[in-house]
Amino acid sequence: MNGGKVTLGRTAGLYAGAAILRLALFTLFPGLPDLLTGRVEISTPVTSFKRLQEGLFLYNHNVSPYDGGVYHQAPLLLPIFNLLPSFSTFPIFTYLLYIAIDILSADALLRIAESGEAGSSARFTSPRRDKRWSGAVIAALFLFNPFTIATCIGRSTTVFTTCAILHAIANAISGRHFHAMVALAFASYLSLYPLLLLPPLILLCYDRRKQPATGAPNAWIKFTATMVMDVFGALAVLFQMSFFLTGSWEFLSSTYGVQLTLSDLAPNIGLWWYFFVEMFDSFRSFFLAVFWLHLSSYVGGLSVRLRQQPLVVITLLLGIFTIFKPYPSIADASLFLGMVPLYRHVFPLLRYSFVIAAIIIYATFLGPAFYHLWIYAGSGNANFFYAITLVWGLGLSLLVCDLAFAVLRDEWEVERPEMVGKEIRQI
């Protein structure tokens, strides 16, 4: 009992410390939020707080928020922010909302860590599972990650997607399947790409279901159909609410259409924008299909190969999305990097830890510098910034591949105990 109280107290202290730090940055540096909001590493055309303000202004003046082609975010964000007092007069309420979302995300991540799913799933138990960090440590690494803090201060709406994804995973692990599907539907409604997490999330729900297996051959099909109907049913409700709010279906093309067609080519830390700036219009449709096919092609292969560890599949997919989605930001990196410490038990099996850390730090510092040289100093061009985004993508790609190797090596050593500790040479 006393141990539980101590743990609860430490967790509360952790959340309080993270909240105080963010509130201090908001209030002591009043120009910092607007500075970070304008950074392309934090804000994208589909997550920008400035664009949200533009949409909210039109919404409050009975004009379609999608007129003018500036606002590309979900309609239901508008009444949420409209309930808050005027941002120009009382910004503290907006600040508190973003702080609360970060705390809720960290709490979901803590529950995921405490479940032990990363090291001991329903179908696989790692012999290294005891070498893991506590949930409080995992939550602290997420809350005090500079990328997470910068995203919160920059008020990117990606924080809502991050929170929904983490709660979908946490609910799936705890056996609350319907809540998991609703959370995933909300994340997909906000950002589209989380819908690709549906197959591994269904696998996780199936493995964590509370009732025993019936042995019926169609049990898996029935379960999957139920989960799919839950997700798309929740999405249908959200779309219908959006229709009642806006009075038309225009939001579909203005939110999801922009991501599918990449109609806004604003620079970001992803790989798509520069490629399509240089693309001839006659090839645009073909390469859009190729890029989206590439992004979605990982889902099936990873779900089959790592069937025993669906949480690993979700983590790797989050890393892949961070690299290859149309409009990525450091908020996506903060989510992926927040999930990686769950696999502390396989860290000794990583091969390129130093190289990965060096590349990510290198790109983090040089990215803003190269963007400044291009946009403000005029002494560089778009190649400067795109080159450093390629380095950023390389660092994250190495991390995804190295983590996949470590997890697979862990599985292999369970199957072949005589190979534990032996070096593998690739020929």
Side-chain angles (χ1 to χ4, degrees):
M1 181 66 70
N2 291 333
K5 291 182 178 179
V6 171
T7 302
L8 182 61
R10 289 177 179 175
T11 303
L14 169 65
Y15 294 163
I20 291 171
L21 174 61
R22 285 160 169 74
L23 193 58
L25 290 173
F26 273 126
T27 55
L28 298 180
F29 304 94
L32 184 61
D34 288 336
L35 173 65
L36 294 180
T37 300
R39 297 299 311 178
V40 296
E41 300 89 353
I42 297 173
S43 297
T44 70
V46 295
T47 63
S48 170
F49 182 73
K50 287 184 178 179
R51 295 186 181 230
L52 174 64
Q53 288 180 299
E54 176 70 20
L56 190 60
F57 177 83
L58 295 176
Y59 172 75
N60 287 330
H61 287 79
N62 297 319
V63 178
S64 171
Y66 301 103
D67 283 355
V70 174
Y71 182 66
H72 301 302
Q73 301 175 51
L76 292 183
L77 288 176
L78 297 173
I80 293 175
F81 280 88
N82 196 42
L83 291 173
L84 300 175
S86 172
F87 176 77
S88 58
T89 308
F90 301 103
I92 187 64
F93 292 98
T94 302
Y95 299 159
L96 292 175
L97 172 63
Y98 275 89
I99 292 172
I101 294 298
D102 264 9
I103 300 300
L104 288 174
S105 299
D107 188 65
L109 188 57
L110 183 145
R111 287 191 284 133
I112 296 170
E114 293 293 344
S115 71
E117 176 70 20
S120 180
S121 65
R123 296 171 179 263
F124 174 78
T125 298
S126 170
R128 301 176 173 87
R129 65 187 181 279
D130 294 331
K131 299 178 181 178
R132 65 187 182 95
W133 286 323
S134 67
V137 172
I138 303 295
L141 291 173
F142 173 78
L143 284 173
F144 294 98
N145 184 334
F147 294 156
T148 308
I149 296 173
T151 300
C152 178
I153 305 302
R155 297 160 297 174
S156 168
T157 54
T158 311
V159 299
F160 297 97
T161 304
T162 296
C163 186
I165 291 174
L166 289 173
H167 278 274
I169 300 171
N171 284 322
I173 291 175
S174 62
R176 293 180 290 183
H177 307 149
F178 177 75
H179 295 82
M181 295 299 110
V182 171
L184 183 66
F186 186 67
S188 304
Y189 167 77
L190 293 176
S191 299
L192 185 64
Y193 78 90
L195 193 60
L196 294 173
L197 296 175
L198 179 58
L201 195 68
I202 290 177
L203 295 176
L204 185 59
C205 288
Y206 186 77
D207 290 346
R208 283 283 185 162
R209 65 196 187 283
K210 294 180 179 179
Q211 67 273 21
T214 60
N218 63 344
W220 159 248
I221 298 176
K222 182 178 179 181
F223 183 87
T224 301
T226 301
M227 296 297 98
V228 171
M229 286 190 294
D230 287 343
V231 168
F232 286 96
L235 279 173
V237 172
L238 291 170
F239 287 156
Q240 194 63 49
M241 293 171 63
S242 300
F243 173 77
F244 288 144
L245 182 68
T246 61
S248 72
W249 296 104
E250 179 187 8
F251 71 91
L252 292 175
S253 60
S254 298
T255 53
Y256 313 113
V258 167
Q259 298 187 53
L260 291 172
T261 63
L262 204 76
S263 57
D264 193 319
L265 294 173
N268 54 71
I269 61 173
L271 306 178
W272 291 43
W273 68 274
Y274 186 80
F275 191 87
F276 283 94
V277 164
E278 302 294 333
M279 177 66 61
F280 290 109
D281 289 341
S282 57
F283 297 105
R284 182 180 176 86
S285 297
F286 171 75
F287 278 99
L288 276 171
V290 169
F291 272 53
W292 272 108
L293 179 63
H294 172 255
L295 179 64
S296 58
S297 63
Y298 292 95
V299 178
L302 288 174
S303 298
V304 172
R305 178 60 186 85
L306 292 168
R307 169 63 186 93
Q308 299 183 81
Q309 303 186 71
L311 184 60
V312 173
V313 178
I314 294 173
T315 303
L316 294 176
L317 286 177
L318 289 175
I320 291 168
F321 296 157
T322 302
I323 305 165
F324 296 117
K325 63 180 282 195
Y327 295 105
S329 68
I330 61 171
D332 303 293
S334 72
L335 173 58
F336 173 52
L337 295 177
M339 295 287 289
V340 169
L342 294 172
Y343 305 94
R344 165 65 182 83
H345 59 286
V346 298
F347 278 10
L349 300 177
L350 297 176
R351 299 166 296 173
Y352 309 115
S353 304
F354 175 77
V355 175
I356 292 169
I359 291 176
I360 291 177
I361 294 173
Y362 174 85
T364 299
F365 283 100
L366 283 188
F370 281 14
Y371 185 78
H372 178 83
L373 290 175
W374 171 32
I375 298 297
Y376 299 104
S379 57
N381 54 39
N383 295 330
F384 277 57
F385 183 65
Y386 189 63
I388 201 64
T389 63
L390 291 177
V391 175
W392 168 262
L394 172 64
L396 292 173
S397 298
L398 284 175
L399 179 55
V400 170
C401 293
D402 213 19
L403 181 61
F405 169 84
V407 170
L408 290 172
R409 174 67 191 253
D410 193 41
E411 282 190 2
W412 185 62
E413 289 184 355
V414 171
E415 297 170 359
R416 300 186 61 182
E418 71 277 8
M419 300 303 295
V420 174
K422 293 186 178 181
E423 182 182 356
I424 299 178
R425 294 185 178 180
Q426 297 178 347
I427 301 176

